[in-house]
Amino acid sequence: MLLIHNDPAAMQRLSQAEQEKIMADVGGIMKELTANRELVGGAALTDVSQSRTVRVVDGAVATTDGPFAEVKEHLAGYITVDVASLERAIEIASRWPDARTGAMEVRPILDTITVDE
């Protein structure tokens, strides 16, 4: 799994042309992954301001606004790929635009959950 971390403030500082270039770069990578049948799925996440952190403390549910940690970079989305090697996953992550302004985390999936219909 490729976890996409970015700094929303850094993205807002980019010009419209720079933002369009990033989207074109992502589109190109997604097209390649689809053509190679390496793309399993993925999703972009809403702005971190819409997130909630939930904990159970002494049996009571405690919910707070936002993420747990106060950081500049936030989990912005993920891409699940089925590739032949860790090196291929790292190569894909290194080309993802967020690797230049934020970070890409490459993490193997331990187990998957399926839902029977």
Side-chain angles (χ1 to χ4, degrees), residues 54-106:
V54 178
R55 291 183 187 78
V56 177
V57 179
D58 295 326
V61 176
T63 306
T64 56
D65 292 346
F68 172 69
E70 292 294 326
V71 295
K72 290 181 182 179
E73 294 174 355
H74 300 283
L75 180 62
Y78 67 92
I79 299 294
T80 306
V81 294
D82 184 3
V83 295
S85 67
L86 177 61
E87 290 75 19
R88 173 65 176 144
I90 290 170
E91 186 269 328
I92 295 165
S94 72
R95 293 175 34 222
W96 202 267
D98 294 284
R100 296 187 293 270
T101 58
M104 294 291 292
E105 180 181 347
V106 177

Side-chain angles (χ1 to χ4, degrees), residues 4-98:
I4 304 163
H5 298 271
N6 73 20
D7 177 355
M11 294 299 289
Q12 290 176 351
R13 290 190 296 267
L14 298 176
S15 70
Q16 183 68 29
E18 291 169 318
Q19 290 179 20
E20 289 173 3
K21 169 75 167 96
I22 287 172
M23 295 311 295
D25 289 349
V26 168
I29 295 168
M30 295 295 282
K31 187 175 181 179
E32 173 191 327
L33 295 174
T34 300
N36 292 344
R37 296 183 178 210
E38 294 175 311
L39 180 65
V40 175
L45 301 176
T46 62
D47 184 78
V48 70
S49 65
Q50 295 184 31
S51 69
R52 303 295 179 265
T53 298
V54 178
R55 291 183 187 78
V56 177
V57 179
D58 295 326
V61 176
T63 306
T64 56
D65 292 346
F68 172 69
E70 292 294 326
V71 295
K72 290 181 182 179
E73 294 174 355
H74 300 283
L75 180 62
Y78 67 92
I79 299 294
T80 306
V81 294
D82 184 3
V83 295
S85 67
L86 177 61
E87 290 75 19
R88 173 65 176 144
I90 290 170
E91 186 269 328
I92 295 165
S94 72
R95 293 175 34 222
W96 202 267
D98 294 284

